[in-house]
């Protein structure tokens, strides 16, 4: 269905944060990444092409001609569509907690689509954690920063 919609998001409010995970769970990483990097509306990168620096409440809060959508629900700072950030951390970057507070974590990036690199970082109670990967046609290079296991500060 995602491919039939030309890799444009076609889920409702509840399904939007789940669609990339659903695709990844059946090994359709390239399809998930094409959906993730769709620049046309509706798509996560459409707001970026329109100058967005926050997550919008609706895909077309700003119309292609630059005017604000006259409909209701036109917030320019909303969490709903930003739920994809969890997928970016867990799957694209491969940074996943395996214990509360990132006391233990798993590093397992899943490159796909046209992406050639990704970086994610966060500050855990144990110190900074990061993952950076780059890929060429033949090589995947992963660099990590992992804090030592210890009690939270």
């Amino acid at each position: 269905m995602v491919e039939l919609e030309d890799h444009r998001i076609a889920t409702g409010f509840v399904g939007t944060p789940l669609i990339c995970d659903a695709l990844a769970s059946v090994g359709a990483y390239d399809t998930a990444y094409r959906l993730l990097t769709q620049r046309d509306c509706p798509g996560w990168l459409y707001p970026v092409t329109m100058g967005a620096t926050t997550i919008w409440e609706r895909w077309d809060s700003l119309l292609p001609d630059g005017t604000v959508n006259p409909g209701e629900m036109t917030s320019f700072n909303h969490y709903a569509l930003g739920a994809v950030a969890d997928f970016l951390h867990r799957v694209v970057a491969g940074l996943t907690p395996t214990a509360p507070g990132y006391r233990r974590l798993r590093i397992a990036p899943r490159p796909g689509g046209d992406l050639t690199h990704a970086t994610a970082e966060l500050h855990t109670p144990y110190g900074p954690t990061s993952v950076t990967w780059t890929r060429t046609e033949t090589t995947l290079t992963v660099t990590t920063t992992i804090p030592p296991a210890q009690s939270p500060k």
Side-chain angles (χ1 to χ4, degrees):
M1 290 174 57
V2 170
E3 291 171 355
L4 290 175
E5 293 294 329
D6 196 24
H7 299 90
R8 287 181 179 85
I9 194 88
T11 57
F13 187 80
V14 174
T16 297
L18 306 175
I19 187 67
C20 287
D21 276 314
L23 291 165
S25 73
V26 296
Y29 289 98
D30 287 342
T31 301
Y33 283 34
R34 283 197 56 198
L35 177 66
L36 183 65
T37 58
Q38 174 61 259
R39 292 177 175 271
D40 294 327
C41 189
W44 280 287
L45 291 184
Y46 170 74
V48 175
T49 68
M50 297 299 292
T53 57
T54 58
I55 302 294
W56 297 350
E57 185 172 10
R58 57 190 298 162
W59 299 111
D60 61 350
S61 286
L62 197 62
L63 300 174
D65 66 3
T67 60
V68 174
N69 189 317
E72 296 180 18
M73 303 181 331
T74 306
S75 169
F76 288 97
N77 194 10
H78 199 271
Y79 72 93
L81 304 180
V84 74
D86 183 52
F87 179 82
L88 294 172
H89 279 263
R90 286 184 298 99
V91 179
V92 176
L95 182 57
T96 308
T98 59
Y102 285 84
R103 177 143 181 109
R104 287 188 300 274
L105 51 96
R106 178 175 184 243
I107 306 290
R110 298 302 303 230
D114 292 333
L115 293 182
T116 59
H117 63 281
T119 298
E121 62 182 66
L122 63 99
H123 295 277
T124 74
Y126 310 98
T129 299
S130 66
V131 178
T132 297
W133 62 259
T134 58
R135 73 172 175 160
T136 65
E137 289 183 25
T138 59
T139 306
L140 175 65
T141 303
V142 179
T143 305
T144 64
T145 300
I146 302 169
Q150 59 186 6
S151 299
K153 298 175 182 166

